[in-house]
RNA sequence: GCGCCCGUAGCUCAAUUGGUUAGAGCGCCGGACUCAUAAUCCGUAGGUUGCAGGUUCGAGUCCUGCCGGGCGUACCA
């Protein structure tokens, strides 16, 4: 029996879990469930990553303490994960006493190894926020090519690298303040001293996928490694460094140690020895991460572990990013979908299955194609797999399974044998391959049922025995599928266990057929995906503010309504008398002698034109209106005014003066269309 | 710019690591069937493996150069 410790990257406490995060947590959860099903001793450890400037700033924005913020977010994370059936053995926090102690211990090792040095660093400082600014919090004009709106490290227009202090007209993205250069002492780890070790470790024993080892060799390890800046001056939300008052560990120092801290919590509550898990070569340690945080886990982290004499990772499994319909997730396109939004519309099993069917052990990005999502879930999972139970179970409810497993032409044995290859695919994280093989088994099972036509046998009482045998085969083949799919679809495995009165708990249950047991009444195991629900989810994600915006309730003032109370109710017929139309402003001119009026010419499409005098001069300039669509009252009795006849009104809100807000139709409306 | 990775049927992916005529699923089209959640079964069509060279008895696979895409580039957690 292997002893295996597994982690996923720690989600940052600055935002909610979204479908991109879920690639990793589902991948890890499936792998862990597979190991447990194989009767290995396996624990899944994770935690919230809680430190850093971003948390500090966000807490300030929300007007709450950091600890309150991270507690709130942790609760949300834990809840989202649970609802996706992601089962951690422990979910901790980097802001814990265990983590503080382990950080101190590892830090002391690095000091003792002579790896720590101190150097003065000059950095931009935001005087309004009172904090130093990481490069991503500074924007300005590129000193090389003059492109505006560039971050403090490099220019995405010309590719130039520079120091944030060289940016022209730099501003802080936190407060908009003009940053000033200040200096502070920082602590560095001389990681170059471990260069030889890292060369060896990254290349050896398949700790890394080959493309990652190549990448590190070509990108970092081909030249001396730079010192790693691991401290931040106050104010910083994190742990103060014991032997360097006023300085805090950079969040990437304490985050991976959080893996250990969370394990220690688990050990303390389960009577386990911490060193059995982190200091024993009998334990495998597997980290699952995204490719964006590769060097933290493949260079700094092994360096920290090596120096402090802890066990090095057995393997770091690195996955790519999620794209949706071939593009980056986008808030405006509604493809930036929060876990909680997904759950309002769709069954988590769909996503578990879909990701599994596409995940390999490569670093490639994974695309969530919505059409394909529907097709795969409906035809593979429901039509092919679940349907197998649906079409055989009810013929066997009365009789139960045959006492002796019938001759099935070798189908069960074949599928049992295939279990080996399927297990190897799971083990190597090539879930796509595992799923392909499972589906091939399901195809053979459906062919068998089709060929033996139990629906014909049931009409002939003489063939009851034969019918029972056919269903015994069909249900056993289905049960094998449920075992093989259990890591991906735990609920389906549960339902199958209930149907056949034999809970699915071990991989080996796929190797022996079940006979002579009762068959329960078949209940629907999984619904087909309705495309409408997917579309609704995308629509909900589009309307919503981005996930990491504050989730506080809207607090609009009641003053405008109080200033102008609601009018008497009117009937729909009353309302219909007013003919509101979309119109385009084709001309707009100032009326020199008027204080409030602009003269507008509106087009209602075709040759239809209206001249309207609108009292919006104090809020709008004529040139800004030309070409825009507005909503006008088109059947208003024309009215003579001092400067001419007005043939309608345009609609606007607001008390007047500068506060006038014209109504615009949404994109796509055409002049002349009626507003209902 | 530099580095890593990718490019195979309309879509998503295979191809035993250089070895017969490049295979599946979905989709399309045609047929069968009716137990099942419009499901399942049988069949047809669909390819100059991004382009151009090279190595080899043999190249989707190895090498070189282009073209296109993704990501990273150390302060994004």
């Amino acid at each position: 029996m292997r002893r295996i410790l597994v982690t996923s990257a720690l989600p940052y406490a600055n935002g909610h879990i979204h479908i991109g995060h879920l690639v990793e947590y589902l991948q890890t959860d499936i792998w862990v469930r597979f190991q447990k099903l194989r009767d290995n001793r396996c624990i899944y450890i994770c935690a919230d990553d809680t430190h850093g400037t971003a948390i500090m700033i966000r807490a300030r924005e929300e007007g709450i303490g950091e600890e309150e913020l991270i507690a709130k977010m942790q609760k949300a994370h834990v809840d989202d994960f649970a609802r996706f059936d992601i089962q951690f053995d422990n979910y901790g926090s980097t802001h814990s006493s265990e983590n503080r102690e382990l950080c101190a211990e590892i830090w002391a090792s690095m000091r003792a190894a002579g790896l720590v040095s101190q150097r003065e660093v000059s950095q931009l400082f935001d005087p309004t926020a009172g904090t130093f600014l990481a490069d991503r919090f500074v924007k300005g004009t590129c000193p090389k090519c003059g492109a505006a709106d560039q971050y403090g490290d490099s220019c995405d227009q010309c590719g130039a690298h520079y120091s944030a202090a060289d940016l022209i007209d730099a501003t802080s993205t936190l407060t908009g303040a003009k940053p000033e250069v200040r200096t502070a002492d920082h602590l560095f780890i001389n990681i170059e001293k471990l260069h030889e070790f890292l060369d060896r470790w990254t290349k050896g024993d398949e700790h890394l996928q080959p493309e990652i080892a190549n990448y590190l060799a070509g990108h970092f390890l081909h030249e001396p490694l730079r010192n790693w800046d691991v401290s931040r001056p106050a104010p910083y939300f994190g742990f103060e460094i014991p032997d360097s008052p006023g300085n805090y560990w950079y969040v990437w120092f304490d985050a991976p140690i959080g893996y250990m801290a969370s394990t220690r919590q688990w050990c303390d509550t389960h009577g386990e020895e911490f060193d059995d898990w982190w200091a024993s070569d009998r334990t495998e340690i597997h980290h699952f991460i995204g490719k964006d945080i590769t060097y933290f886990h493949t260079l700094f982290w092994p360096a920290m572990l090596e120096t402090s004499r802890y066990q090095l990772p057995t393997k770091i499994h690195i996955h790519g990013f999620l794209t949706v319909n071939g593009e980056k997730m986008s808030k405006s396109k509604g493809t930036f979908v929060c876990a909680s939004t997904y759950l309002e519309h769709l069954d988590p099993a769909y996503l578990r299955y879909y990701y599994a069917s596409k995940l390999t052990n490569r670093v490639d990005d994974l695309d969530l194609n919505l059409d394909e999502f529907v097709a795969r879930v409906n035809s593979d999972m429901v039509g092919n797999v679940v349907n197998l139970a649906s079409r055989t179970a009810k013929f066997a409810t009365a009789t139960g399974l045959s006492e002796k497993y019938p001759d099935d032409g070798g189908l069960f044995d074949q599928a049992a044998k295939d279990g080996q290859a399927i297990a190897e695919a799971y083990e190597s994280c090539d879930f796509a391959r595992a799923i392909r093989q499972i589906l091939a088994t399901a195809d053979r099972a459906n062919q068998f049922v089709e060929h033996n036509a139990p629906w014909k046998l049931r009409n002939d009482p003489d063939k009851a025995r034969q019918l029972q045998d056919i269903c015994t085969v069909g249900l056993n083949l289905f049960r094998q599928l449920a075992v093989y799919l259990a890591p991906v679809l735990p609920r389906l495995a549960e339902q199958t266990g209930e149907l056949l009165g034999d809970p699915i708990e071990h991989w080996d249950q796929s190797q022996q057929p079940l006979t002579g047991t009762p068959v329960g009444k078949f209940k629907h195991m999984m619904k087909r995906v309705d495309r409408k629900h997917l579309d609704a989810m995308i629509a909900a994600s589009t309307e919503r503010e981005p996930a990491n915006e504050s989730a506080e309730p809207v607090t609009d003032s009641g003053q405008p309504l109080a200033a102008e109370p609601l009018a008497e109710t009117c009937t729909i017929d009353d309302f219909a008398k007013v003919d509101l139309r979309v119109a385009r402003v084709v001309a707009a001119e100032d009326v020199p002698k008027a204080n409030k009026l602009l003269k507008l010419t509106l087009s209602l499409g075709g040759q239809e034109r209206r001249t309207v005098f609108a009292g919006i001069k104090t809020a709008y300039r004529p040139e800004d209106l030309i070409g825009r669509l507005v909503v006008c009252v088109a059947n208003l009795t024309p009215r003579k005014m001092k400067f001419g006849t007005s043939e309608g009104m345009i609609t606007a809100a607001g008390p007047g003066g500068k506060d006038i807000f014209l109504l615009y139709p949404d994109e796509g409306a055409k002049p002349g269309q009626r507003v209902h």
Side-chain angles (χ1 to χ4, degrees):
Chain A
M1 186 178 74
R2 292 153 68 193
R3 191 164 57 198
I4 309 170
L5 176 106
V6 183
T7 71
S8 292
L10 311 185
Y12 199 47
N14 192 29
H16 287 285
I17 301 301
H18 56 67
I19 56 174
H21 291 114
L22 287 170
V23 171
E24 177 170 315
Y25 300 96
L26 290 176
Q27 180 186 37
T28 316
D29 186 65
I30 290 167
W31 199 75
V32 168
R33 283 178 183 271
F34 167 72
Q35 297 299 350
K36 290 179 175 173
L37 199 64
R38 299 281 280 181
D39 298 322
N40 288 318
R41 186 84 202 285
C42 181
I43 57 170
Y44 184 9
I45 298 294
C46 198
D48 258 20
D49 179 15
T50 57
H51 291 156
T53 314
I55 297 292
M56 194 171 76
I57 300 297
R58 168 126 184 211
R60 260 187 228 174
E61 276 171 8
E62 295 196 16
I64 57 178
E66 286 99 349
E67 293 184 356
E68 189 182 336
L69 173 72
I70 64 177
K72 200 172 78 176
M73 201 51 89
Q74 172 147 4
K75 194 170 172 302
H77 287 175
V78 165
D79 190 45
D80 285 340
F81 287 136
R83 293 174 68 201
F84 271 94
D85 292 325
I86 295 162
Q87 220 167 51
F88 300 111
D89 288 277
N90 196 66
Y91 196 90
S93 164
T94 57
H95 197 62
S96 69
S97 55
E98 292 89 349
N99 203 34
R100 188 191 289 273
E101 283 160 23
L102 281 159
C103 284
E105 181 194 327
I106 288 171
W107 179 248
S109 309
M110 312 212 76
R111 283 276 197 199
L115 295 178
V116 180
S117 59
Q118 186 165 325
R119 181 161 62 81
E120 192 173 75
V121 171
S122 58
Q123 204 182 359
L124 292 182
F125 184 88
D126 181 329
T128 310
T131 168
F132 282 96
L133 293 166
D135 290 349
R136 64 181 291 246
F137 294 127
V138 187
K139 273 193 161 182
T141 300
C142 170
K144 259 220 178 106
C145 74
D149 233 21
Q150 297 303 314
Y151 283 107
D153 49 353
S154 64
C155 172
D156 64 10
Q157 292 299 309
C158 72
H161 287 257
Y162 40 76
S163 145
D166 297 334
L167 275 180
I168 300 164
D169 295 331
T171 55
S172 161
T173 61
L174 301 178
T175 61
K178 189 171 155 41
E180 49 197 58
V181 177
R182 289 200 191 175
T183 58
D185 283 331
H186 283 228
L187 295 163
F188 289 81
I189 291 176
N190 185 348
I191 195 174
E192 174 59 14
K193 284 194 177 165
L194 292 156
H195 197 136
E196 201 185 314
F197 158 73
L198 289 169
D199 249 340
R200 199 161 12 95
W201 188 81
T202 54
K203 283 178 188 140
D205 294 338
E206 299 185 342
H207 301 305
L208 304 173
Q209 289 130 298
E211 59 265 51
I212 295 294
N214 289 344
Y215 157 67
L216 293 172
H219 196 77
F220 293 97
L221 295 167
H222 71 295
E223 59 182 8
L225 293 160
R226 290 178 230 165
N227 288 347
W228 183 30
D229 183 352
V230 286
S231 77
R232 297 293 181 273
Y236 193 78
F237 181 60
F239 293 139
E240 193 168 19
I241 303 177
D243 54 16
S244 182
N247 284 313
Y248 291 73
W249 282 307
Y250 172 46
V251 50
W252 266 113
F253 182 80
D254 74 55
I257 297 174
Y259 297 139
M260 301 170 96
S262 183
T263 310
R264 175 161 279 172
Q265 268 184 356
W266 178 82
C267 288
D268 290 348
T269 51
H270 288 76
E272 293 273 338
E273 282 300 318
F274 179 74
D275 281 357
D276 285 347
W277 294 93
W278 278 98
S280 158
D281 58 12
R282 286 193 50 243
T283 299
E284 299 173 33
I285 298 175
H286 293 258
H287 297 301
F288 287 78
I289 63 166
K291 62 184 177 182
D292 51 336
I293 55 176
T294 295
Y295 57 79
F296 293 110
H297 283 82
T298 56
L299 299 176
F300 300 153
W301 179 231
M304 288 160 73
L305 291 168
E306 172 74 1
T307 307
S308 53
R309 311 276 167 111
Y310 279 109
Q311 189 65 25
L312 286 154
T314 309
K315 177 131 191 169
I316 299 180
H317 307 261
I318 302 181
H319 62 82
F321 293 148
L322 180 73
T323 56
V324 181
N325 289 337
E327 296 177 335
K328 278 187 183 180
M329 292 195 297
S330 144
K331 289 171 185 173
S332 63
K333 288 185 177 144
T335 53
F336 196 102
V337 180
C338 288
S340 55
T341 311
Y342 174 98
L343 289 163
E344 281 167 25
H345 297 90
L346 297 167
D347 184 337
Y350 302 159
L351 198 68
R352 292 185 68 102
Y353 176 77
Y354 182 79
Y355 282 172
S357 76
K358 304 208 51 158
L359 273 166
T360 68
N361 50 22
R362 311 292 307 265
V363 189
D364 306 349
D365 288 348
L366 186 155
D367 187 46
L368 167 56
N369 179 286
L370 299 177
D371 292 330
E372 192 200 5
F373 179 90
V374 175
R376 279 203 193 227
V377 169
N378 286 349
S379 39
D380 295 354
M381 195 167 59
V382 181
N384 202 342
V385 176
V386 178
N387 186 46
L388 190 59
S390 178
R391 66 193 305 207
T392 48
K394 77 172 187 188
F395 297 137
T397 309
T399 60
L401 299 177
S402 306
E403 289 301 327
K404 182 170 171 291
Y405 189 74
D407 179 11
D408 64 2
L411 282 178
F412 187 92
D413 288 346
Q414 172 70 45
K417 215 173 120 233
D418 289 347
Q420 178 69 25
I422 294 168
E424 280 165 20
Y426 272 120
E427 177 65 38
S428 69
C429 286
D430 194 347
F431 302 160
R433 176 191 290 267
I435 296 289
R436 275 200 304 278
Q437 281 163 343
I438 293 168
L439 288 178
T441 303
D443 277 340
R444 287 195 298 272
N446 270 307
Q447 284 162 19
F448 174 86
V449 174
E450 190 76 19
H451 184 252
N452 289 286
W455 55 92
K456 284 181 184 157
L457 300 175
R458 69 171 167 162
N459 296 323
D460 185 346
D462 293 343
K463 294 194 170 154
R465 194 58 179 272
Q466 210 180 329
L467 174 64
Q468 188 189 17
D469 282 353
I470 299 304
C471 292
T472 298
V473 173
L475 286 169
N476 266 294
L477 296 176
F478 172 71
R479 176 165 165 270
Q480 275 180 316
L481 297 173
V483 174
Y484 294 153
L485 285 169
V488 179
L489 301 173
R491 290 188 203 179
L492 183 73
E494 232 171 82
Q495 291 165 318
T496 304
E498 278 166 32
L499 179 71
L500 300 175
D502 181 57
I504 290 173
E505 282 155 358
H506 307 281
W507 186 266
D508 281 349
Q509 288 172 283
S510 62
Q511 305 299 301
Q512 283 300 321
L514 208 58
T515 52
T517 57
V519 174
K521 189 165 167 13
F522 181 77
K523 290 182 242 166
H524 249 44
M525 292 179 166
M526 195 171 296
K527 272 203 189 116
R528 296 167 60 81
V529 190
D530 188 340
R531 177 70 207 216
K532 274 186 283 181
H533 294 152
L534 253 186
D535 293 338
M537 175 185 82
I538 297 294
S541 301
T542 310
E543 289 158 11
R544 249 185 209 192
E545 280 302 295
N548 57 3
E549 287 298 314
S550 138
E552 283 170 42
V554 179
T555 52
D556 290 326
S557 157
Q559 190 276 329
L561 185 61
E564 188 174 355
L566 291 178
E568 259 177 72
T569 51
C570 74
T571 66
I572 185 104
D573 295 332
D574 292 336
F575 173 70
K577 287 181 186 165
V578 182
D579 192 351
L580 296 170
R581 296 284 172 157
V582 175
R584 189 182 301 284
V585 180
V586 292
E589 53 191 277
D590 193 31
V591 181
K593 288 180 184 165
N595 294 328
K596 294 184 179 172
L597 294 178
L598 291 182
K599 183 181 175 187
L600 307 179
T601 306
L602 304 180
S603 164
L604 291 177
Q607 299 305 310
E608 193 69 22
R609 296 286 183 275
R610 293 292 165 83
T611 301
V612 168
F613 287 89
I616 57 172
K617 186 175 183 171
T618 46
Y620 288 89
R621 294 187 304 177
E623 59 267 33
D624 293 339
L625 293 170
I626 294 170
R628 288 172 87 160
L629 294 179
V630 295
V631 175
C632 77
V633 185
N635 61 340
L636 199 63
T637 317
R639 177 177 177 144
K640 276 195 181 159
M641 302 175 80
K642 187 173 175 187
F643 307 103
T645 302
S646 186
E647 301 167 321
M649 279 173 69
I650 61 171
T651 53
K658 286 201 168 154
D659 288 334
I660 296 174
F661 308 99
L662 285 178
L663 268 55
Y664 299 115
D666 222 332
E667 208 174 312
K670 301 267 186 302
Q673 288 176 337
R674 186 163 183 183
V675 179
H676 298 281

